[in-house]
Amino acid sequence: MTEGDVESEGQAPWALVARGLLNLYWVLSWLCVLLMVDTVSGAGGPSAGTRISSQFPASGVNQSPVVDCREVCGLNASNRCDFVRSNPDCRSEGGYLDYLEGIFCHFPPDLLPLAVTLYAFWLLYLFLILGVTAAKFFCPNLSAISTTLKLSHNVAGVTFLAFGNGAPDIFSALVAFSGPRTAGLAFGALFGAGVLVTTVVAGGIAILHPFTAASRPFLRDIIFYMVAVFLIFTALYRGRVTLAWALGYLGFYVFYVVTVVLCTWIYQWQRRRSLVYSVPGTPEMLSGSEEDRVSSNTNSYDYGEEYRPLLFYQETTAQILLQALNPLNYRKWRTKPVYWRALKVLKLPVEFLLLLTVPVMDPDKEDGNWKRPLNCLHLVISPLFLVLTLQSGAYGVYEIGGLFPVWAVVVIAGTALAAVTFFATSNSEPPRLRWLFAFLGFLTSALWINAAATEVVNILRSLGVVFRLSNTVLGLTLLAWGNSIGAGA
């Protein structure tokens, strides 16, 4: 069997398996970047490597004793709030809300089940935010960036698109690794999501929709996957990561990308060579680019074309803005079942905020999804969202010279740029530099995912404290399941 067989036999199910492999590999590579930075910053210390699982209490003369935060449930109800506020192990790493303080300081002890229930619903909604942001905003902008950079499908697939598909895993791991108390969540989520996607999800799809995988690409990815997991196992077994190990692991990923590109080039060269010696009169096989172009033209038919008015009319700027900010398709709403409508109702607030703050470039459309009033609004709102999201808004409220806040500077600069763009462009003619909106949308959606992932990690840690569960167990179960919702869908 060749690589081309996948395109005719179950391309989507096999793509799911490959995505599961690449997601775990991407996250582990980012882990190495973090560990490499820690190793470089601590090179002058007595140790040759960075310890993976250790506590790092803050330095200082007057320190509160560090006690496992899970001991709070064994105290009297009157002492729990003071314990959470004074114990360094109970402090949240970033985020906008302090969930442990909310449970033990703002809810009466009798309403603890209510607080846990509310947190559980908020956790599910955060997973929904992660899925919507990654699927409808983060991945399309990454695809547009790869198209703008004229990357081949194989290079884009193992780099940008793999990063987009694994965005919830990657950002959740980065947030979890930022604090030593939540590192267990990251490790559990990494391996839990990898096992879940490659076994339960892929196996369930194989039962419902049997497919045949290309043997050589499958064997290649499995070998690289096994080697990557083995390298991580050796680091965990030794209990430390050296600079040479981290650099070697990142180099191993580069070697994987080069191998994929080289194998694809060899395969295409063999196909072209076979066409030269084909029997005259035999229909020639389409090249990869031609196949993609035919399939994209076939799949890009808009079923809404028949609803276009017979008489052409020019939409006003206000109508374009209202239509661009409307996340609901009324014709699609009438044809969908009740459960889809209920889920859509939950998504509407999130999708509206994302449409308002995240520009999306679509390279498949002639205008690149150019919406002049909304895109000009993005030039003001997106940078403002960026500065108010970095470090939970710490950078945005910083005052320059003690007088002028950073967020005000961003608003003034964004308004000036939006005004110039608005008067220099038209509703029907997109500007030449419209591809820059893909990079702006990439940054904004990435911070959306990072903010949601931060809250997810903090909630899971809080639930672990309440139920006295280890972070590794929570990562293997709840965090892995939530981050893999998009893969299962």
Side-chain angles (χ1 to χ4, degrees):
M1 176 169 295
T2 62
E3 297 185 12
D5 296 335
V6 179
E7 298 182 3
S8 60
E9 300 185 36
Q11 182 178 8
W14 168 239
L16 177 66
V17 181
R19 182 171 64 182
L21 300 176
L22 292 173
N23 283 357
L24 178 60
Y25 198 88
W26 252 104
V27 178
L28 296 178
S29 299
W30 276 95
L31 164 63
C32 289
V33 174
L34 293 177
L35 295 177
M36 183 177 63
V37 172
D38 290 338
T39 304
V40 173
S41 61
S47 177
T50 300
R51 292 286 172 181
I52 295 178
S53 58
S54 59
Q55 296 292 337
F56 300 96
S59 60
V61 178
N62 297 323
Q63 291 187 7
S64 301
V66 179
V67 183
D68 192 342
C69 192
R70 287 174 291 186
E71 300 296 330
V72 66
C73 294
L75 302 176
N76 295 328
S78 59
N79 299 328
R80 293 176 181 177
C81 181
D82 293 335
F83 178 84
V84 168
R85 288 177 173 175
S86 61
N87 188 12
D89 191 57
C90 297
R91 295 172 186 168
S92 300
E93 300 292 339
Y96 293 92
L97 301 175
D98 192 333
Y99 296 98
L100 283 174
E101 183 175 343
I103 291 178
F104 296 106
C105 297
H106 301 290
F107 278 89
D110 297 338
L111 296 182
L112 180 61
L114 175 62
V116 172
T117 302
L118 293 177
Y119 280 16
F121 280 112
W122 176 231
L123 177 65
L124 294 176
Y125 200 73
L126 287 172
F127 282 134
L128 183 66
I129 294 175
L130 285 173
V132 172
T133 308
K136 294 189 175 182
F137 295 86
F138 191 75
C139 288
N141 280 312
L142 276 181
S143 178
I145 291 175
S146 63
T147 302
T148 303
L149 298 178
K150 297 181 180 180
L151 300 178
S152 65
H153 293 290
N154 294 282
V155 176
V158 297
T159 53
F160 282 105
L161 298 183
F163 177 66
N165 289 330
D169 294 306
I170 293 171
F171 284 96
S172 298
L174 291 176
V175 172
F177 277 119
S178 63
R181 294 184 297 273
T182 54
L185 272 174
F187 278 108
L190 295 184
F191 293 101
V195 173
L196 179 69
V197 172
T198 55
T199 56
V200 177
V201 178
I205 291 180
I207 295 175
L208 298 176
H209 302 283
F211 63 96
T212 303
S215 57
R216 287 183 296 180
F218 179 80
L219 181 61
R220 177 198 64 204
D221 292 338
I222 287 294
I223 292 175
F224 275 94
Y225 183 82
M226 293 175 64
V227 173
V229 173
F230 176 76
L231 292 175
I232 288 293
F233 171 77
T234 58
L236 293 175
Y237 180 78
R238 297 175 56 192
R240 65 176 185 175
V241 172
T242 62
L243 178 61
W245 188 94
L247 291 174
Y249 198 90
L250 293 176
F252 184 65
Y253 178 75
V254 175
F255 176 64
Y256 170 70
V257 174
V258 173
T259 302
V260 172
V261 175
L262 184 61
C263 290
T264 304
W265 180 83
I266 294 175
Y267 170 72
Q268 293 178 349
W269 177 76
Q270 291 177 344
R271 287 185 61 184
R272 289 193 297 267
R273 186 177 180 182
S274 62
L275 289 176
V276 174
Y277 298 99
S278 60
V279 180
T282 302
E284 294 186 356
M285 299 176 63
L286 294 176
S287 62
S289 60
E290 291 174 341
E291 288 178 351
D292 294 334
R293 185 163 56 251
V294 171
S295 61
S296 63
N297 292 336
T298 304
N299 297 327
S300 62
Y301 175 75
D302 187 358
Y303 291 96
E305 296 288 337
E306 57 184 294
Y307 296 101
R308 284 190 175 183
L310 296 177
L311 298 178
F312 176 77
Y313 72 98
Q314 187 72 27
E315 289 183 319
T316 63
T317 301
Q319 289 175 334
I320 295 175
L321 178 62
L322 292 177
Q323 185 179 1
L325 287 175
N326 183 16
L328 184 62
N329 188 323
Y330 297 103
R331 298 189 183 95
K332 191 175 182 180
W333 173 270
R334 291 196 296 264
T335 60
K336 292 296 182 178
V338 177
Y339 72 88
W340 185 92
R341 298 183 184 182
L343 184 60
K344 186 66 176 179
V345 170
L346 295 176
K347 291 181 179 180
L348 285 178
V350 179
E351 292 180 347
F352 174 77
L353 291 177
L354 287 169
L355 288 173
L356 186 63
T357 57
V358 183
V360 179
M361 180 183 173
D362 189 354
D364 294 331
K365 294 183 179 180
E366 294 183 0
D367 59 354
N369 197 35
W370 167 251
K371 308 293 182 183
R372 179 183 171 221
L374 181 58
N375 289 133
C376 292
L377 194 61
H378 284 151
L379 294 176
V380 181
I381 298 179
S382 295
L384 179 63
F385 179 81
L386 291 176
V387 298
L388 293 179
T389 306
L390 288 172
Q391 293 296 322
S392 302
Y395 293 147
V397 298
Y398 176 77
E399 294 183 350
I400 302 176
L403 298 174
F404 214 62
V406 173
W407 66 265
V409 177
V410 172
V411 170
I412 294 175
T415 303
L417 182 60
V420 172
T421 305
F422 184 83
F423 291 107
T425 59
S426 63
N427 293 331
S428 57
E429 293 293 333
R432 293 182 178 180
L433 299 179
R434 62 181 181 273
W435 51 268
L436 291 175
F437 285 95
F439 290 88
L440 180 61
F442 162 73
L443 292 176
T444 311
S445 57
L447 286 180
W448 263 97
I449 296 175
N450 183 70
T454 302
E455 301 303 318
V456 165
V457 170
N458 288 337
I459 289 181
L460 287 177
R461 183 170 180 269
S462 301
L463 295 178
V465 169
V466 173
F467 295 104
R468 296 189 177 185
L469 298 175
S470 68
N471 290 330
T472 304
V473 173
L474 291 173
L476 285 169
T477 54
L478 294 179
L479 187 57
W481 298 341
N483 289 337
S484 301
I485 288 176

